[in-house]
Amino acid sequence: MSLKFPHPDPLLDEEGVAGAMTRHYPNRPIIGVLGVVRRAGRVLLVQRARAPSVGKWGFPGGVQELGETIFAAVARELREETRLEVEPVAVLTTLDVIERDEDGRVRTHYALIAVLAEWRSGEVSVDDEALDYGWFTPGETEARELPTLPSVTRIMAMALTGF
């Protein structure tokens, strides 16, 4: 059973109408966080249920909210999307995800911050943003030929080897 946690999209107003900033054709990069959760020598991956990249495996995460620290954003996103309680401990790396339209205009621009987080409690229960989940090593993702988003196995290795 999928549990949905109510929480407004920080890029939309209370009526669901795009405010000063939208995800498509934004006026500046959008800051996103990726929760790289480590537990018993494995890392949590979720299979995306929403565009873009439906069916691809990656890290749970979302958009940082105004006034929220990066670590607080990771803890909140993981609680909402997976029901896990985690302790964010370090920034692993950053990624730029920029998509342009056929005219060369920036359609989406995310600055993603991958944060290492230690599992503290809870068992995964994904919401409607994920089709599936699993705890993997980089070798297991390659052996199973999981379709992962770019940089996933590199970031997993960083998390498991102390970067």
Side-chain angles (χ1 to χ4, degrees):
M1 179 164 135
S2 178
L3 296 175
K4 187 163 183 151
F5 294 89
H7 140 224
D9 185 324
L11 302 179
L12 300 177
D13 69 16
E14 61 277 349
E15 295 179 14
V17 177
M21 181 78 157
T22 64
R23 291 180 190 244
H24 294 106
Y25 301 100
N27 57 10
R28 62 181 166 77
I30 298 166
I31 301 170
V33 294
L34 302 173
V36 185
V37 183
R38 184 167 59 185
R39 181 182 185 185
R42 288 188 161 68
V43 174
L44 176 65
L45 295 180
V46 294
Q47 187 179 29
R48 292 184 57 88
R50 295 184 181 171
S53 306
V54 173
K56 298 270 187 175
W57 290 80
F59 306 108
V63 175
Q64 181 182 23
E65 295 178 357
L66 184 65
E68 186 177 49
T69 67
I70 293 164
F71 282 13
V74 167
R76 175 186 50 76
E77 285 289 344
L78 284 159
R79 193 175 314 109
E80 290 173 356
E81 292 184 13
T82 67
R83 298 195 60 177
L84 294 181
E85 293 297 326
V86 301
E87 179 185 351
V89 294
V91 171
L92 292 171
T93 191
T94 60
L95 304 167
D96 290 302
V97 179
I98 303 168
E99 177 192 350
R100 295 183 183 275
D101 66 16
E102 60 279 349
D103 297 324
R105 292 178 46 218
V106 174
R107 183 174 185 276
T108 60
H109 184 169
Y110 291 94
L112 301 177
I113 304 166
V115 175
L116 176 62
E118 298 290 352
W119 173 87
R120 290 297 177 233
S121 67
E123 295 304 325
V124 178
S125 176
V126 294
D127 67 6
D128 61 356
E129 293 185 28
L131 298 170
D132 201 0
Y133 74 92
W135 296 91
F136 302 100
T137 65
E140 290 168 340
T141 62
E142 292 169 358
R144 294 177 187 206
E145 298 181 357
L146 293 179
T148 59
L149 291 163
S151 303
V152 165
T153 54
R154 178 179 63 85
I155 295 170
M156 290 174 75
M158 291 171 70
L160 295 173
T161 60
F163 57 104

